[in-house]
Amino acid sequence: MNLSTSAPTPSTSTAPQPGPSGVKPSPPPKLHTVLLEKFLAKGVPNADITVYRDFVLQHDALLEVLEVKKSNRTAVAIREAGNRLFLEKKYDEALEKYNESICHAEFNSEHLGMGYANRSAVYFDQGEYEFALYNIMLARKHNFPEELRSQLLQREINSREKIIAGQSKIAGQVPPSSRIGLNVEVNAKLPFVAKGIAMKYYPEFGRGLVAERDFNTGDVILDEKPMLMAVEHGLRYSVCSYCTASFRKSLIPCPNCVSCMYCSEKCLEMDHRFTHRFECGIMERLRNASFNTSIITSRLFFYGLTLFGDNLQLMMKSCWDTFNSGGNPFDLDYTQYDPLEEFKTMHKVKFRLPKANIEHHYRMCAALHYAIFMKHPLVQSLVVGKTYQGFMLQCLLNYTRVVFFLMKDTLADPQNRIISFLSPIATVFNHSCDPNVLIIPRASRIVTVVLRPIRKGEQLTSSYGPTWWDIPNLPLTFDCRCVVCVLGKKGSDWCPAGRQLPADANRELKRVCDQADDVAMLNAAQQFIQRYAALYPEVNLGGMVKLFHMLLIKVTCCETDARDRMRVLAAGII
């Protein structure tokens, strides 16, 4: 990867961290746990999914959670809490409170404009003058009070003066054209995947990706748009509910509920079209019954239903007999992109049935989602009769299995809040504690970069959390069978003690760290790893892979910031 342009130090926004898909999750919420314990106490081994559904429906009263409605009174109280945080210069927390206030403000009320105006004050203090102007524009569009407009006008004048004086953060930023993207020959039918990558079934791992040619450190081998994404409840006022972009928290609300925000009108429209129209108005009940981002399991069903034109009969006819039959995304032709064919391939994914203690959770999750969605008027109108209701229930169970088999997670911020994504290719990478690629989720894209040289015939692997050169003892929900762990169980050392870099290499190590900026350091680390790859695994070389890994995330964060600022400019604020 050749990144010749320099990158500034990233802003305080946190880069997404490659995810802990297999790391032990936080415990399920109380409702899920309570109902599952009650069910298991009945002593019904190997119960069919319909038994779980009937049990949940018998406890229907527990599903009723108050859905918060939009309220100007609530919006004012939350905005005042944001004001206190702003005065304490806790800007990120203040922005989240202002976003929450914007979500609670009633449609077309002045409190929408007030929330946007308060956000503009935060951005001005942060030196994000373009974002300040963007939010001033939003405030005016949403009934900001006439008697306060002189204050808003003065902030607009001050922001424009700062930009004219050259104090804009856009100056010196990496232009969007230099973003980390595919830099190798691509697959003729899958132009977002490098040529020379294929899917393979491994006896010990199941589906995986194999290199059919050599790849070098820094090769960007995947730049994929996810099929579906989901954000943890605590992130709903921080990132876009559709594409998961943070857009520096400069988000707009769903006009009908208080649970979702978006980075653009387009994302709002797309989310409503494919999944949110089925969730809007029942989000709190769904989150009460879900754990982590398990809501993505039901989204897969409704995404498919939308692609079938809301015709459940047609969906059932096409999909009923193809569960777990085996689907290979490399058989698709993305030059003639058909999202329905892509969905059918995901529907067919072949998976191993989980162990009984995990399957209990999956069945309870599917049953809870079924019971809640069947109270939604739109779902009631589309899923009519026992046959179609049974199909929906079976889909929810199978998609729960598929999603938790494939889904990748990423830690979105220092609070370890999770974003999850499901995609045809990126979710096929298996875990290794000695990964040879890094998956970097970013707004609406999943980029995968080679960390160290890969030879023809090697499996392509990412880390679900632990690595031998960083955090080797992070617990996983599965028995890891990677080469590091297999050798460790045999009492062998993965990194031989006698293997050392030559003296010249140690001097190069210092030169790498002495580079003037992050991009120069990234390129130097890339060259170092490529040059001494024959000595891998070695302690210092592992440390260089760790540095390369960290710098990739850091530079990606810088480029995301640059693109966000260019998006604001494109909105016509200047």
Side-chain angles (χ1 to χ4, degrees), residues 434 451 467-470 495 501 509 512-513 521 525 528-529 536-551:
D434 180 34
L451 289 174
T467 59
W468 72 268
W469 34 258
D470 190 9
C495 195
L501 293 173
L509 279 170
V512 170
C513 297
M521 193 183 302
F528 185 95
I529 296 166
Y536 189 89
E538 189 271 342
V539 173
N540 289 316
L541 202 50
M544 189 58 67
V545 173
K546 177 181 176 179
L547 176 65
F548 186 58
H549 175 288
M550 293 169 59
L551 288 167

Side-chain angles (χ1 to χ4, degrees), residues 50-123:
T50 58
V51 180
Y52 283 80
R53 175 202 61 195
D54 294 343
F55 177 81
V56 169
L57 293 176
Q58 290 169 12
H59 295 79
D60 183 67
L62 294 177
L63 304 180
E64 293 304 319
V65 176
L66 181 65
E67 292 290 338
V68 181
K69 304 294 184 182
K70 289 184 181 289
S71 161
N72 287 336
R73 183 175 180 179
T74 304
V76 170
I78 297 170
R79 191 170 69 245
E80 288 174 350
N83 291 341
R84 291 190 289 272
L85 291 166
F86 173 71
L87 292 174
E88 296 171 13
K89 298 189 182 301
K90 296 179 179 178
Y91 294 131
D92 281 347
E93 294 173 54
L95 283 171
E96 286 195 24
K97 279 297 175 187
Y98 290 147
N99 281 350
E100 186 178 356
S101 171
I102 288 168
C103 276
H104 280 79
E106 295 170 27
F107 183 69
N108 270 345
S109 76
E110 67 178 26
H111 296 287
L112 268 174
M114 293 286 285
Y116 291 128
N118 284 35
R119 274 198 333 209
S120 73
V122 175
Y123 293 125

Side-chain angles (χ1 to χ4, degrees), residues 67-71 74 99-100 102-105 233 236-237 253-261 276 280-281 283-284 287:
E67 292 290 338
V68 181
K69 304 294 184 182
K70 289 184 181 289
S71 161
T74 304
N99 281 350
E100 186 178 356
I102 288 168
C103 276
H104 280 79
H233 182 63
R236 67 195 186 281
Y237 302 128
C254 170
N256 301 312
C257 74
V258 303
S259 299
C260 294
M261 300 196 80
H276 188 58
C280 197
M283 288 295 291
E284 295 308 312
R287 286 183 170 126

Side-chain angles (χ1 to χ4, degrees), residues 79 85 104 110 208 221 241 265 287 364 392 432-433 451 454 479 483 495 511 542 567:
R79 191 170 69 245
L85 291 166
H104 280 79
E110 67 178 26
I221 59 174
S241 291
E265 292 285 350
R287 286 183 170 126
M364 184 56 69
M392 173 180 164
S432 174
C433 296
L451 289 174
I454 298 170
D479 183 22
V483 63
C495 195
R511 285 200 294 271
R567 276 183 62 187

